[in-house]
Amino acid sequence: MTIRTAIAIALATTALPGCATAQQATPPAAHTAPAVDASYLDRKPSEEIVYFVLPDRFENGDPSNDTGDFTGDRLATGYDPTARGFFHGGDLAGLTGRLDYLEGLGVTAIWFAPIFQNKPVQGPAGDESAGYHGYWVTDFTRPDGHFGTREEFAAFVDAAHARGMKVYMDIITNHTADVITYADGAETNFEYRSLGDYPYSTRGGPDGEAINTGFMGHEDSSEENFAKLTDPNYAYIPEVPEAERDVKVPAWLNDPIYYHNRGNSSFTGEDSRFGDFAGLDDLFTEHPRVRAGMIEIFCDWITETRVDGFRIDTARHVDPGFWREFVPAMESCAGEAGIPNFHMFGEVYKDVPDNGYIAEYTRRDGLPAVLDFAFQAAMREIIGREQGTVVLAHMFDGDVLYEGGEDTALTLPTFLGNHDMGRFSTLIREDMPDISQEELLARVMLGHAMMLSTRGSPVVYYGDEQGFVGDGNDQRAREDMFPSQTGEYNDNVLIGTDATTADSNFDTDHPLYRLIAEFSAIRRAHPALTRGLQQVRHYEQEPGIFAAARFDPDDGTEYLAVFNTTAEERSANIWLNYEARGLETLAGSCPAAVSAPGSAAFTLPAFGWALCRVSEVAE
């Protein structure tokens, strides 16, 4: 039975009595991609060098779509390029037109923030913002009009594939836009109402009217059980405003029965899974209809556009049973579409250099990979907070905790900063308020050199290669690459350049762009750096030297990556295999020969590095 047949059966058998009937969306016209060299499909996830971009902030290729499908002022269209929380005009056409720039950087996979149709503006009066980031979805079946059409998206994917670049979509299954309100009144502030205080079996608390007779709770996701959940009024009384009654697509998403409706999450304990994420409508992902519907939505994106992977937003806020159905279904869809190395990685936020917490999502939930927040935290500790390089060594020791162990760790997307927590440069400046621009640049360059040399699939956050330094996290870390009209961005002092964000920032001669391009080329040329297992060779209790070996997966050739995290020249003897006699320099400065069998002496400048290939012949 094909995955499409399974989906059709699931959808047919989960039409619940008393619930809105799902409307069948008109399927998009079949897309025929031009013939390209398909060898890019053979690359494993660990071989990718990823560029993460918010399309709205990258390049405006088509000003005619700046206001999307809307007319009126900024509260109607969401467009205001002077305000950091509104649409600025970047789009799919702009992203497609800058593929030369990304190819020159060494990028092999483009991951972009969600491009689905969003509610244009949300928020209380006077504090509104727009869905430029893509996380307030109303229509899961098409791109937001601010970004372009489905045909333009297909053209972008084709253009990327023609260059051997993969495309990763950012997807959401946890929530939709904030549409559902509660009749209970604003005075409640919609605080989370727990399972114990507000069971599914009564209306408004244990002493309330009996409802949903026979429903055994969310832990039983069978169709038979959920057929008995017919009343969503157990905690709050959900309402859908008349003007937005049919705004969500597919149409089944408009029925409140498919949402938890328990109020806002505090992101701890029970409410982390069952509460609304900052007011966004939290999907009842235990419900078989929700599971089948999400599988249908995202299987269609795979088969119709041939994308190469999914970054999964807010993965830790979804029940594990959902992932245990969703992941195999997506793998099956990709297999039927002829995409052999389809990659999925979940966002499991944890700001500590300990991979135990994020690893559990690869074991219990069955996610193939997770964003490597542990790596990010360790890099901030050793480069921004001047902790000993032992922190990074201990983090890498935890790779055995992932399902699949060190092989899985190779596939984890590693990163230094992002659109939520802020840029790496910003985090370092936050940790070191008095740092000079020169030292900030040096530390950021060191971070990228380390990320591009150690295990994992490195992710470059757009603008970092142009020396962007934001004012903080979230909206303050989402500057425009094309000339910005946002004053809060344009007064930022960038590193490695005299430009500001008021300029167009696609400088291929920027020192960070050149560094990333250099290390990307080295990484792609040496399988040890993409598919080779890693062994830590040196670390210190204080800031200083860190070294790791990587091994060619085919012939076992050893490579050494050595780094200095201090502002002074440092030396260390690094152990290597006893047959080693010479070291070939790939980047930085490597000694020509070993000091003795099993040892090589390295001297590195402040914030310096050495990337070497080991040979059994003295150079």
Side-chain angles (χ1 to χ4, degrees):
M1 181 171 63
T2 69
I3 189 65
R4 288 188 176 279
T5 303
I7 291 169
I9 293 172
L11 290 173
T13 57
T14 53
L16 303 179
C19 300
T21 303
Q23 298 176 12
Q24 298 299 315
T26 302
H31 171 70
T32 303
V36 298
D37 180 358
S39 61
Y40 72 91
L41 292 169
D42 297 329
R43 292 199 307 265
K44 305 295 184 184
S46 65
E47 297 180 81
E48 307 303 345
I49 299 164
V50 185
Y51 190 81
F52 173 41
V53 59
L54 275 67
D56 180 64
R57 304 299 165 92
F58 188 66
E59 181 65 292
N60 190 346
D62 182 7
S64 71
N65 62 26
D66 285 353
T67 58
D69 301 330
F70 307 96
T71 57
D73 64 12
R74 73 176 198 154
L75 296 183
T77 68
Y79 177 68
D80 182 355
T82 68
R84 57 180 166 82
F86 283 74
F87 283 96
H88 287 185
D91 49 32
L92 290 165
L95 194 55
T96 305
R98 288 290 185 180
L99 287 175
D100 279 345
Y101 170 84
L102 298 179
E103 189 172 24
L105 189 62
V107 169
T108 66
I110 302 167
W111 154 29
F112 48 85
I115 50 90
F116 312 110
Q117 180 65 47
N118 268 227
K119 187 173 182 176
V121 176
Q122 287 185 182
D127 193 28
E128 302 93 345
S129 62
Y132 69 92
H133 42 66
Y135 295 102
W136 300 343
V137 183
T138 54
D139 186 342
F140 285 87
T141 67
R142 69 182 181 101
D144 193 292
H146 293 87
F147 300 145
T149 64
R150 189 157 177 140
E151 290 72 27
E152 285 178 294
F153 178 76
F156 161 69
V157 175
D158 290 347
H161 285 170
R163 297 168 182 262
M165 294 180 182
K166 294 183 179 180
V167 175
Y168 294 161
M169 293 184 75
D170 201 319
I171 69 168
I172 305 114
T173 66
N174 176 66
H175 57 261
T176 69
D178 183 10
V179 172
I180 296 173
T181 63
Y182 300 132
D184 304 67
E187 68 276 6
T188 64
N189 197 29
F190 304 137
E191 293 180 356
Y192 181 77
R193 291 182 170 176
S194 71
L195 293 163
D197 290 334
Y198 294 87
Y200 300 110
S201 59
T202 59
R203 190 190 308 275
D207 297 329
E209 174 192 353
I211 58 174
N212 300 319
T213 302
F215 179 62
M216 301 303 294
H218 63 269
E219 292 181 304
D220 178 358
S221 289
S222 68
E223 295 162 9
E224 293 78 11
N225 183 46
F226 270 87
K228 300 168 186 174
L229 179 68
T230 58
D231 190 333
N233 301 321
Y234 39 81
Y236 286 101
I237 301 174
E239 292 184 329
V240 178
E242 186 62 35
E244 297 181 294
R245 190 165 297 279
D246 299 313
V247 73
K248 294 180 184 178
V249 180
W252 63 266
L253 287 163
N254 293 299
D255 192 331
I257 199 72
Y258 300 126
Y259 299 84
H260 284 127
N261 303 312
R262 288 188 173 274
N264 289 327
S265 174
S266 67
F267 308 112
T268 59
E270 172 191 309
D271 70 38
S272 183
R273 186 169 295 165
F274 300 104
D276 290 350
F277 191 106
L280 300 168
D281 300 347
D282 190 64
L283 281 158
F284 207 137
T285 52
E286 298 86 355
H287 200 304
R289 181 65 180 86
V290 174
R291 292 182 180 184
M294 285 291 157
I295 288 171
E296 181 189 36
I297 287 167
F298 293 113
C299 184
D300 278 347
W301 279 101
I302 294 172
T303 56
E304 297 295 339
T305 69
R306 299 188 57 78
V307 293
D308 305 282
F310 291 154
R311 179 266 193 182
I312 302 170
D313 180 62
T314 51
R316 72 186 180 101
H317 302 295
V318 174
D319 69 289
F322 178 93
W323 299 126
R324 291 195 292 267
E325 290 188 28
F326 183 86
V327 168
M330 294 304 101
E331 291 173 339
S332 181
C333 286
E336 290 186 12
I339 307 171
N341 289 299
F342 191 84
H343 193 33
M344 285 177 281
F345 49 98
E347 179 204 25
V348 181
Y349 182 88
K350 194 71 171 178
D351 190 17
V352 293
D354 179 357
N355 30 21
Y357 176 75
I358 62 177
E360 74 182 65
Y361 288 83
T362 67
R363 289 186 173 272
R364 181 197 60 210
D365 298 48
L367 291 171
V370 289
L371 278 167
D372 200 345
F373 279 90
F375 175 87
Q376 190 282 330
M379 292 295 287
R380 183 178 185 181
E381 290 291 323
I382 68 171
I383 295 181
R385 294 173 173 169
E386 298 192 291
Q387 297 298 302
T389 55
V390 62
V391 173
L392 187 61
H394 284 174
M395 189 279 299
F396 283 135
D397 283 344
D399 284 352
V400 295
L401 299 173
Y402 297 103
E403 184 69 30
E406 292 172 306
D407 288 330
T408 293
L410 290 176
T411 72
L412 304 183
T414 53
F415 66 101
L416 300 171
N418 66 17
H419 61 319
D420 290 328
M421 63 174 47
R423 297 185 180 279
F424 191 53
S425 57
T426 307
L427 297 173
I428 293 175
R429 191 181 62 184
E430 180 181 308
D431 295 331
M432 300 178 165
D434 298 325
I435 193 171
S436 69
Q437 289 292 94
E438 292 74 18
E439 183 174 336
L440 181 58
L441 175 62
R443 288 181 182 269
V444 171
M445 292 181 74
L446 174 63
H448 282 86
M450 294 181 75
M451 179 177 68
L452 285 155
S453 304
T454 50
R455 70 99 179 105
S457 176
V459 178
V460 177
Y461 181 44
Y462 89 99
D464 281 0
E465 79 281 7
Q466 294 297 322
F468 282 15
V469 183
D471 290 326
N473 64 349
D474 197 71
Q475 294 178 5
R476 294 177 175 85
R478 302 172 181 180
E479 303 92 335
D480 303 312
M481 294 277 283
F482 58 97
S484 180
Q485 300 177 48
T486 309
E488 290 180 72
Y489 295 156
N490 293 343
D491 63 1
N492 295 349
V493 180
L494 312 188
I495 52 176
T497 179
D498 293 328
T500 73
T501 57
D503 304 305
S504 180
N505 283 280
F506 294 95
D507 179 11
T508 58
D509 199 41
H510 190 287
L512 274 161
Y513 183 98
R514 288 189 283 110
L515 173 83
I516 294 167
E518 174 193 2
F519 272 81
S520 295
I522 295 171
R523 187 178 180 92
R524 295 195 311 273
H526 299 277
L529 301 179
T530 56
R531 294 187 288 115
L533 292 176
Q534 175 175 287
Q535 185 179 71
V536 173
R537 289 294 179 80
H538 184 93
Y539 59 87
E540 300 175 6
Q541 300 300 315
E542 302 295 333
I545 301 293
F546 177 84
R550 305 289 304 274
F551 301 93
D552 189 290
D554 298 318
D555 63 19
T557 298
E558 182 179 8
Y559 289 70
L560 276 179
V562 188
F563 308 96
N564 175 13
T565 66
T566 74
E568 300 174 350
E569 181 181 272
R570 289 293 181 91
S571 299
N573 295 316
I574 310 298
W575 70 275
L576 69 172
N577 75 73
Y578 274 79
E579 290 75 25
R581 293 296 179 268
L583 295 96
E584 175 191 355
T585 297
L586 303 179
S589 180
C590 302
V594 300
S595 306
S599 178
F602 283 80
T603 297
L604 299 181
F607 310 118
W609 53 76
L611 187 55
C612 328
R613 178 164 55 185
V614 178
S615 72
E616 296 181 8
V617 179
E619 294 295 314

